Amino acid sequence: MGGISFRYQKEKYNFALGVSGQQAELYKQQQFPNTSEGTKVFIAILPNASYQYKFDKQNNLRINYRTNNIAPSIDQLQNVLNNSNSLQYSIGNPDLKQSFQNNLFARYSGVNTKKSTNVFILLGGTYTDNYIGNSTIIANKDTTVYNAIYLASGSQISRQENFNGYYNARFFFNYGFPAKFIKSNININTGCNYSNVPALINNKINYSKTTSPSFGLVISSNFSEKIDFTISSNSSYNTVANTLQTSLNSSYLNQSSKAKVNLTFFKRLVLQAEYTSTIYTGLTASFNQNINLLNSALAFKFLKDNRAELRLFVFDILNQNRSIQRNIAETYIEDTQSNILQRYYMLTFTYNIKKYFPKKETVAEEK
């Protein structure tokens, strides 16, 4: 891979233009069900550009455009049937092309040092040519597909295809300011993500449109070195609408709130506690849950300059830790709960090795 770029710099602004070339080569050797081998070469020319404008030392605007390609994997290219699930077959496509992404983002950040406020705004999105998505055939009766594959009534088969029309957009805003009455800093953020994902179902195009607005709040203390706390909450509401599979339209809420505190006693003893509450609503009945996670640690610092630390940590005191996830595809919605590590204890010892070397002064020789 190689590239070239041009950059122009002024006091208030600068911009850059560039282009690079990339080549990916995949070698395939197949033994079953048929013996074959071959090489796939993917070549891409990737332009990029950036622009920055400085209003002053505390306020600036950045605009970035970049491109990248995503070559299909060997699994996606292999024309081999995966029949591990007799109701949901899958097969690769040796004719897949590489996808090409266009990414454009603008960022503004500003700080008011007199008022101790800050603003951050992000706006951008991605458009993808030759997006690699699924083409699914659902059998209404016993049939044969792709010339030789028998598909029983009620079963389905998925195959990767190239699509145009994939895009996503993102907006994010954050505003931070001091709250003198509680001697803390407050950050409020809001945003929204939107995506349009194409797919084929029984040779008809379906667009899955997902809208995800969000809101967040963070309060962090700044009034004492011995007492430090952070309170935060983030909520997102997700709505999925399909142009073809309307029966799969859904909406669900995910909210996570967290409180964290650090207390220091006698300069050597540190108590830490963290509580997280996660709420899921809009999922299937057994997955609509409120998960409470409580972690705590007690640390003792000793030796010179408190370089050594002995810490006892307890994870998931309430023994409620669970992993819940919603997966949305063009033909189904799946809610999963995984078994993960719950309550455990851990004792650690840490020693920091520090060594400062004095800076040598250089004396100019008189000539």
Side-chain angles (χ1 to χ4, degrees):
M1 180 177 179
I4 187 172
S5 63
F6 169 78
R7 183 179 179 87
Y8 184 78
Q9 179 81 43
K10 296 292 284 186
E11 182 180 354
K12 282 281 189 179
Y13 67 92
N14 65 77
F15 68 86
L17 299 172
V19 64
S20 61
Q22 180 174 299
Q23 176 176 310
E25 184 173 315
L26 299 177
Y27 173 73
K28 178 192 73 170
Q29 187 176 35
Q30 181 176 315
Q31 301 293 333
F32 181 84
N34 300 311
T35 301
S36 66
E37 61 179 337
T39 301
K40 277 275 192 177
V41 179
F42 299 98
I43 300 174
I45 304 299
L46 306 173
N48 63 82
S50 65
Y51 176 81
Q52 180 181 10
Y53 185 83
K54 295 181 180 179
F55 300 94
D56 50 45
K57 292 183 179 180
Q58 288 81 34
N59 299 270
N60 68 83
L61 172 68
R62 295 173 181 265
I63 301 175
N64 291 284
Y65 169 73
R66 62 180 178 85
T67 58
N68 62 284
N69 70 311
I70 303 175
S73 65
I74 287 291
D75 290 340
Q76 292 173 326
L77 290 169
Q78 284 184 323
N79 191 24
V80 177
L81 179 67
N82 181 349
N83 58 2
S84 57
N85 185 337
S86 60
L87 295 178
Q88 293 182 339
Y89 294 143
S90 63
I91 190 172
N93 182 359
D95 297 323
L96 281 178
K97 301 176 183 178
Q98 62 182 344
S99 60
F100 187 86
Q101 287 187 343
N102 298 271
N103 306 280
L104 179 62
F105 284 90
R107 299 173 176 87
Y108 169 80
S109 60
V111 177
N112 187 324
T113 54
K114 293 182 179 180
K115 297 182 178 180
S116 299
T117 61
N118 64 84
V119 175
F120 178 80
I121 303 173
L122 171 69
L123 179 64
T126 300
Y127 181 85
T128 304
D129 290 313
N130 288 324
Y131 168 76
I132 299 176
N134 284 330
S135 173
T136 303
I137 297 176
I138 304 173
N140 296 322
K141 61 180 180 179
D142 295 353
T143 186
T144 300
V145 297
Y146 302 124
N147 298 324
I149 300 175
Y150 173 75
L151 203 61
S153 177
S155 60
Q156 65 182 49
I157 185 170
S158 296
R159 184 188 188 193
Q160 275 73 46
E161 299 282 355
N162 290 114
F163 297 92
N164 289 325
Y166 173 90
Y167 60 89
N168 65 64
R170 182 186 179 193
F171 167 76
F172 180 79
F173 172 82
N174 182 85
Y175 177 67
F177 59 95
K180 296 181 180 180
F181 63 98
I182 55 174
K183 295 183 179 181
S184 301
N185 296 318
I186 298 177
N187 281 273
I188 300 174
N189 66 77
T190 185
C192 187
N193 293 340
Y194 178 83
S195 65
N196 185 78
V197 182
L200 278 178
I201 301 175
N202 287 344
N203 296 320
K204 294 181 179 180
I205 190 71
N206 177 73
Y207 291 101
S208 179
K209 304 173 185 291
T210 303
T211 306
S212 304
S214 63
F215 178 81
L217 174 69
V218 180
I219 302 174
S220 55
S221 65
N222 62 1
F223 58 85
S224 173
E225 294 181 356
K226 296 183 178 181
I227 302 176
D228 177 39
F229 71 84
T230 302
I231 301 173
S232 63
S233 181
N234 289 281
S235 303
S236 64
Y237 186 77
N238 305 273
T239 302
V240 182
N242 293 275
T243 58
L244 187 63
Q245 293 285 83
T246 56
S247 60
L248 296 179
N249 293 351
S250 66
S251 59
Y252 58 98
L253 173 70
N254 175 231
Q255 182 183 53
S256 179
S257 300
K258 180 183 295 186
K260 183 177 181 180
V261 61
N262 294 333
L263 304 176
T264 303
F265 305 94
F266 315 114
K267 296 183 180 181
R268 293 181 179 273
L269 193 63
V270 180
L271 175 64
Q272 296 179 330
E274 181 179 291
Y275 172 76
T276 303
S277 174
T278 304
I279 300 174
Y280 297 91
T281 62
L283 307 181
T284 51
S286 60
F287 290 88
N288 290 326
Q289 300 183 31
N290 185 357
I291 300 173
N292 300 292
L293 188 64
L294 179 61
N295 305 324
S296 185
L298 183 64
F300 178 70
K301 299 177 181 291
F302 56 101
L303 298 182
K304 184 180 180 180
D305 299 327
N306 288 336
R307 292 184 179 182
E309 180 187 271
L310 190 64
R311 178 185 295 263
L312 176 62
F313 180 81
V314 185
F315 178 80
D316 190 17
I317 296 175
L318 304 177
N319 208 37
Q320 292 189 14
N321 192 30
R322 288 184 293 277
S323 174
I324 295 176
Q325 182 177 353
R326 165 159 285 197
N327 301 313
I328 300 175
E330 58 276 358
T331 57
Y332 66 89
I333 296 176
E334 178 184 53
D335 294 329
T336 62
Q337 178 173 316
S338 305
N339 292 326
I340 58 177
L341 187 63
Q342 294 187 308
R343 184 190 301 148
Y344 67 87
Y345 306 85
M346 182 168 60
L347 182 65
T348 63
F349 172 78
T350 306
Y351 183 81
N352 293 315
I353 301 175
K354 299 178 182 178
K355 179 67 176 178
Y356 297 99
F357 296 93
K359 186 177 181 180
K360 295 182 179 180
E361 297 183 359
T362 57
V363 179
E365 295 182 0
E366 295 185 359
K367 295 185 179 179

